Every structure is written in C-alpha cells, then in structure tokens.
Amino acid sequence: MVKLKNYNVVLKLFVLLLTFTSLISCAEKKYHITRIEGKEIAVTDKNSEVAEIENFIKPYRDNIDKDLSLVLAKAPETIDKSGEWQTPMGNFLSDITFDKSNRIFQLREKKSIDICLLNHGGIRTIISKGDVTARNAFEIMPFENSAIVVGLKGEQILEIANYIISEKKPHPLKGLTFTIGKDNQPKNIAVNGKALENDKIYYVVTSDYLVNGGDNMLFFKKSIEKYDLDYKLRNIIIDYFKANQTIIANKDIRINKEL
C-alpha cells in the first residue's frame, strides 16, 4: 500500500524547490564592466565610402562657401578690440545691435530701447581692413545668440555701471555713459544724455546668454519685462553689412576715468 502522506510531503518539497529555482532564474542579473577595448579606424580619401560622402556634400559646401565669400561691404580701416574701457569693435557691435533692435522694438511694442550691453568675451575676432563678407560675421559671432530686450529699473542700471568697473573689461556699451571716480565709483551716470532716474524703467537690449546670467551679469535676472526679438546677433551684423557699403566704428568716449 502506498503511503500517500509521505508522497504528498515529497511533492510539496519538489514544488517549492521548483518555484525557488524559477525565481532565481528570473531575477534581474547585474553586469559589471571589467574591460573596454577599442581600435582606431583610419578614414582617408582612399576609402570608397568616404569619397562617396565627399562627392555628395561637395555641391552644398561649394554653395555655402560661395555665399560666405560674397563681399558685402568694405572697411577703410581695421576695427579691433583694443582699449581699456571701450573698443572700436565693442562700439561698433553695440551701436548696430542698438539700432537694428530698436527698429523692431518700436514697431512691435511702440517703445524705444535705451541701452545696449553685450559682453567683451563674445567678440571672437576683429574686422580687418578691406573686403567684408558674411564669413566675417560668423567669425565675429559664431554663437547662436539672439537679441533680447529687458526692462530694468534705474537701480539695476547702476548695478551695470558698478559691474563694468569691477570687471575691468571693455564690454560693448551704447546709450549709457558715466565717469569712474577716483574712489572707483561711478558718477555722472546718464542714459542718452539724461541723468539716471532710480525708479524709471529702462529698456536694455542684450543677448539671451547674458539675460540668463551669463558672465555673472545677474542684474538681468531682476528684469520686470522681457521681449524676445527673435533676431540672431549674427544676422544683425550680416544685415548691417548688406545695408552699408562702408563699415566704420564710432570712437566716441562712453566711459571716462578721473585722473
């Protein structure tokens, strides 16, 4: 006679063992990197695939190169970045950014821009004497920065003056003038020739990079209004080149320093 009781016990143990084994096999396995290997594959013109790609993109490259090499204007003298508090290149860029942006701002918002402030480090090269092309614009401004107008109170305009003094860099500036006193503090601060008013709202055009706190220009984060002009700074330069046969930088003094 078969002892069913013992048989049932064995069967239960077998089922438990099978279930436990299944759970282990289904558990997530963890892998660890123990070694990484790599090898260099040379890409040369002798490679048929490379040659095929080159032949495919050549017409596009030639067309782009043709557009970039087209002479748009002429510079009778080199516009460089030399200067302690302002530079010919800085004056040029702040002037054209101010003017081009102001036309759009007036049409869209029925308001006028008061100041333009850019960053000295954003100017990557100069404009050499001679022919000026679209390629020059890409070399000057290789970034995809756009023009943004922000509304700042007079208190923040004062912060801008203090920032420029502390940074000791010739940041491109238009519309704002002041004197650096012997105590290293700004004085005679004026916006378009009029004394600064603390409670007045001033419209400042700058780049999206700086509006977001780039170069530690944190005063832009205190803006009470913001307008995206959807206008690349590089396109401002190109449009100016196209509209003006002769490229000249203003050399007026915007920041004085007491001796």
Side-chain angles (χ1 to χ4, degrees):
M1 182 176 180
V2 180
K3 295 182 177 180
L4 293 177
K5 183 177 182 181
N6 291 338
Y7 175 79
N8 289 334
V9 170
V10 173
L11 182 61
K12 288 180 180 180
L13 291 173
F14 176 74
V15 172
L16 287 173
L17 179 62
L18 183 62
T19 302
F20 181 71
T21 304
S22 299
L23 289 173
I24 293 176
S25 63
C26 294
E28 183 180 353
K29 296 181 180 180
K30 295 183 179 180
Y31 298 92
H32 302 279
I33 298 174
T34 57
R35 183 174 61 183
I36 298 176
E37 293 183 350
K39 63 179 181 178
E40 182 179 350
I41 301 176
V43 179
T44 65
D45 291 337
K46 295 180 180 179
N47 188 310
S48 60
E49 292 183 357
V50 174
E52 186 178 346
I53 295 173
E54 174 63 26
N55 291 333
F56 178 78
I57 65 174
K58 187 177 185 301
Y60 299 96
R61 180 195 294 126
D62 292 345
N63 190 52
I64 292 174
D65 185 66
K66 180 181 178 181
D67 290 340
L68 293 178
S69 300
L70 183 66
V71 176
L72 303 178
K74 290 186 179 295
E77 61 181 17
T78 296
I79 302 175
D80 60 28
K81 295 173 60 178
S82 61
E84 182 179 7
W85 296 107
Q86 57 252 318
T87 71
M89 194 67 189
N91 284 5
F92 172 74
L93 289 179
S94 60
D95 284 352
I96 67 172
T97 302
F98 183 104
D99 293 339
K100 291 287 187 182
S101 299
N102 195 36
R103 294 178 188 178
I104 296 174
F105 194 56
Q106 287 177 334
L107 286 173
R108 292 183 185 175
E109 307 298 333
K110 310 304 179 185
K111 301 175 182 178
S112 295
I113 292 173
D114 300 292
I115 298 169
C116 174
L117 174 64
L118 303 173
N119 59 322
H120 178 68
I123 309 172
R124 292 301 176 171
T125 189
I126 64 175
I127 298 176
S128 299
K129 178 180 179 180
D131 292 339
V132 179
T133 66
R135 178 176 281 105
N136 293 129
F138 278 85
E139 292 170 344
I140 295 167
M141 192 67 62
F143 314 107
E144 296 299 317
N145 295 131
S146 296
I148 304 288
V149 177
V150 295
L152 298 177
K153 285 192 173 182
E155 297 173 0
Q156 280 70 62
I157 305 303
L158 176 59
E159 288 184 46
I160 291 177
N162 283 312
Y163 170 86
I164 292 174
I165 294 173
S166 64
E167 283 286 299
K168 298 180 180 179
K169 293 180 181 178
H171 294 298
L173 185 65
K174 162 77 172 179
L176 175 64
T177 58
F178 60 91
T179 299
I180 303 174
K182 293 181 179 179
D183 57 356
N184 213 38
Q185 296 298 312
K187 56 190 297 188
N188 302 327
I189 304 174
V191 178
N192 296 315
K194 297 181 179 179
L196 181 68
E197 300 177 36
N198 286 338
D199 295 328
K200 183 177 179 178
I201 297 176
Y202 295 93
Y203 294 101
V204 183
V205 62
T206 185
S207 71
D208 52 352
Y209 167 71
L210 298 179
V211 163
N212 292 322
D215 276 14
N216 206 34
M217 294 192 184
L218 302 180
F219 40 79
F220 281 128
K221 289 185 171 292
K222 300 176 183 179
S223 63
I224 55 180
E225 297 178 42
K226 185 184 296 183
Y227 306 87
D228 187 347
L229 299 185
D230 193 26
Y231 200 0
K232 300 289 185 185
L233 296 184
R234 183 194 306 120
N235 290 342
I236 288 177
I237 300 172
I238 292 175
D239 289 346
Y240 185 85
F241 287 167
K242 289 180 178 179
N244 296 269
Q245 295 182 343
T246 304
I247 306 302
I248 300 175
N250 291 321
K251 297 180 180 179
D252 55 310
I253 303 301
R254 302 172 187 193
I255 301 175
N256 286 296
K257 186 173 184 180
E258 288 184 345
L259 300 177

